[in-house]
Amino acid sequence: MTEPRGGLQIVERRAVADAVGERDVPAHTPCLYLDPGVAVERYERLRAAFADTDSYYAVKANPEPRLIRRLVRAGAFFDVASPAEIALCLAEGADPSRLSYGNTVKKASDIRYAYRSGVRLFVFDSQDELLKLAEHAPGSAVFCRLLASSAGAQWPLSGKFGCTPEMAVDLLTQAPRLGLRPVGVSFHVGSQQLDPGRWEPSVATAAWVSGELAAAGIELTMLNVGGGFPVEYTSPVPPIERYAEAITAAVGRHFDTRPRLATEPGRYVAAVAGVLRTEVVLVSRKTFDDDTRWVYLDVGRFGGLAETEGEAIRYRLVTPHDGGPDGAVVLAGPTCDSVDILYQRAAYRLPLALRQGDTVDILAAGAYTTTYASVGFNGFPPLPTVCIGDDE
Ligand SMILES: *Cc1c(COP(=O)(O)O)cnc(C)c1O
């Protein structure tokens, strides 16, 4: 498939931005405009790229119920991390057999809740979690998360999750004796992973684990390659098809018998479906002749833009004055905490005509925003969602 790099993503993002542009400015900003139909298209594009793969939407990326309902109707699987996410998926019509409890850190009571709800697929990455599953989710299918490097990812996840391959072999070997069904391994190479080649080392490790288990008479049938598929924010990224090819080829190289693949996309599905509409609260300078303006928006690190920490995720901004002369800015949020700065080193430029009251749209903001908003720091309410686009 030949397409300009990230081409479809740009089109989708513009489509959402245009749809927002046609609306009246809401009485209140900030507000996330979300088009669930766009997210479903993204899910379907990923599913088409990875043939014969079960794709579990990582609910934490955006748990908007109307989005979940649309994904249920599209036949999606879901990666859930808590009782509330389970309840949400079931309430929107998902069958519990489509849910994977993908959090390696679960309370016993939460495991029991999941089990009572019919969930029968659980992850673990430690001895104690395996024992908890044996006690509270007897007979369930389990998979072991491996440590994986996040090198190349703009939002790393390494270190906190997963165990060594040797430990994975040991724990998966114990599972049948504990009354559990070991089905495979998983890993996550870090979110917004820009290099499709970064899956291969973990695929190789997973193949080694599967080989050791096979030697012990246990056949693992599933390989869960996690999420991490990137979105075009301010720089182009390889298309999803490139990731699918690289991962499928790596599996072919390292496994004798191809396992059933699973993915867990979050950002890739939800991000471009959302535009975060904000308003400029203040444009200021620290001295009268300063070239750099400070632009304070009505949303910041505490209002949903948590992923600007370390200036890791660099969103694209659209203003009513785009195309006119611009200048250097520092972008900041509205709260009284000095860490509430979005971009200082990232060298953002915005139009010189920008004034308080102007709208600033933050593109591809549908993932990891509404749920990262604080409940009321400084009295600012959590970020609301307005769904746009076709209802069905
Ligand atoms: C957050 C998460 C994902 C989604 O990651 P993306 O980078 O958003 O695709 C997938 N799997 C697990 C276990 C996660 O915690």
Side-chain angles (χ1 to χ4, degrees):
M1 168 175 190
T2 56
E3 64 162 17
R5 286 194 298 171
L8 181 60
Q9 295 181 25
I10 292 174
V11 171
E12 289 167 343
R13 204 174 51 189
R14 292 252 164 82
V16 175
D18 290 348
V20 171
E22 287 161 11
R23 307 204 145 226
D24 297 337
V25 176
H28 293 288
T29 60
C31 175
L32 182 75
Y33 285 93
L34 184 74
D35 188 336
V38 170
V40 172
E41 282 167 27
R42 296 276 289 182
Y43 179 83
E44 284 173 344
R45 179 173 166 186
L46 181 138
R47 184 163 58 186
F50 286 90
D52 292 329
T53 296
D54 298 332
S55 294
Y56 293 80
Y57 171 62
V59 173
K60 76 173 187 291
N62 191 319
E64 162 57 40
R66 282 160 289 191
L67 166 57
I68 302 298
R69 194 181 320 153
R70 293 282 297 266
L71 285 168
V72 167
R73 288 196 196 137
F77 293 80
F78 297 91
D79 171 53
V80 293
S82 64
E85 287 187 353
I86 293 169
L88 166 67
C89 291
L90 299 183
E92 297 307 330
D95 191 273
S97 66
R98 301 237 144 195
L99 270 47
S100 168
Y101 203 146
N103 188 344
T104 55
V105 184
K106 302 176 280 300
K107 287 184 177 179
S109 56
D110 293 350
I111 297 171
R112 283 200 300 275
Y113 176 89
Y115 189 75
R116 274 203 313 276
S117 304
V119 177
R120 292 292 181 272
L121 181 60
F122 295 85
V123 75
F124 68 91
D125 67 357
S126 67
Q127 177 84 65
D128 280 13
E129 193 71 13
L130 181 66
L131 295 176
K132 261 195 257 175
L133 291 172
E135 183 175 349
H136 303 290
S140 292
V142 293
F143 58 103
C144 185
R145 181 155 169 183
L146 301 170
L147 278 165
S149 162
S150 282
Q154 294 196 316
W155 193 258
L157 298 170
S158 57
K160 181 171 176 183
F161 305 106
C163 64
T164 63
E166 294 76 15
M167 191 164 168
V169 169
D170 187 291
L171 297 176
L172 285 163
T173 308
Q174 291 178 37
R177 292 201 295 276
L178 294 166
L180 295 167
R181 216 154 53 76
V183 293
V185 294
S186 73
F187 59 87
H188 196 301
V189 295
S191 200
Q192 187 70 3
Q193 174 55 260
L194 300 181
D195 180 358
R198 297 287 178 172
W199 273 260
E200 175 141 20
S202 295
V203 168
T205 306
W208 179 81
V209 171
S210 293
E212 294 294 301
L213 268 288
I218 297 171
E219 194 205 350
L220 297 183
T221 52
M222 184 194 87
L223 173 62
N224 183 332
V225 301
F229 311 108
V231 162
E232 180 178 333
Y233 290 106
T234 38
S235 334
V237 299
I240 192 69
E241 290 76 15
R242 191 101 53 83
Y243 287 79
E245 279 163 27
I247 293 168
T248 308
V251 171
R253 275 193 290 276
H254 295 283
F255 280 83
D256 295 333
T257 321
R258 189 183 183 275
R260 176 100 191 151
L261 285 188
T263 59
E264 297 171 336
R267 185 186 306 280
Y268 181 82
V269 172
V272 298
V275 169
L276 206 175
R277 175 151 289 179
T278 73
E279 183 183 299
V280 176
V281 180
L282 177 70
V283 181
S284 73
R285 295 173 200 265
K286 298 299 172 193
T287 66
F288 283 113
D289 57 358
D290 204 342
D291 284 340
T292 300
R293 291 161 299 154
W294 281 66
V295 173
Y296 299 88
L297 301 177
D298 60 3
V299 70
R301 289 268 291 277
F302 298 96
L305 298 176
E307 288 200 315
T308 56
E309 180 171 350
E311 309 194 16
I313 298 297
R314 297 183 177 183
Y315 295 100
R316 182 166 304 196
L317 309 179
V318 174
T319 81
H321 310 290
D322 289 354
D326 64 9
V329 295
V330 173
L331 268 158
T335 70
C336 299
D337 190 316
S338 58
V339 308
D340 191 8
I341 294 174
L342 305 174
Y343 302 116
Q344 191 156 26
R345 288 178 284 108
Y348 270 66
R349 297 179 71 81
L350 286 176
L352 297 173
L354 199 67
R355 296 286 180 272
Q356 55 119 339
D358 283 343
T359 291
V360 174
D361 282 337
I362 302 178
L363 303 192
Y368 304 118
T369 47
T370 50
T371 45
Y372 268 157
S374 72
V375 294
F377 180 49
N378 265 171
F380 292 107
L383 181 61
T385 299
V386 169
C387 283
I388 59 171
D390 299 338
D391 206 23
E392 283 321 306

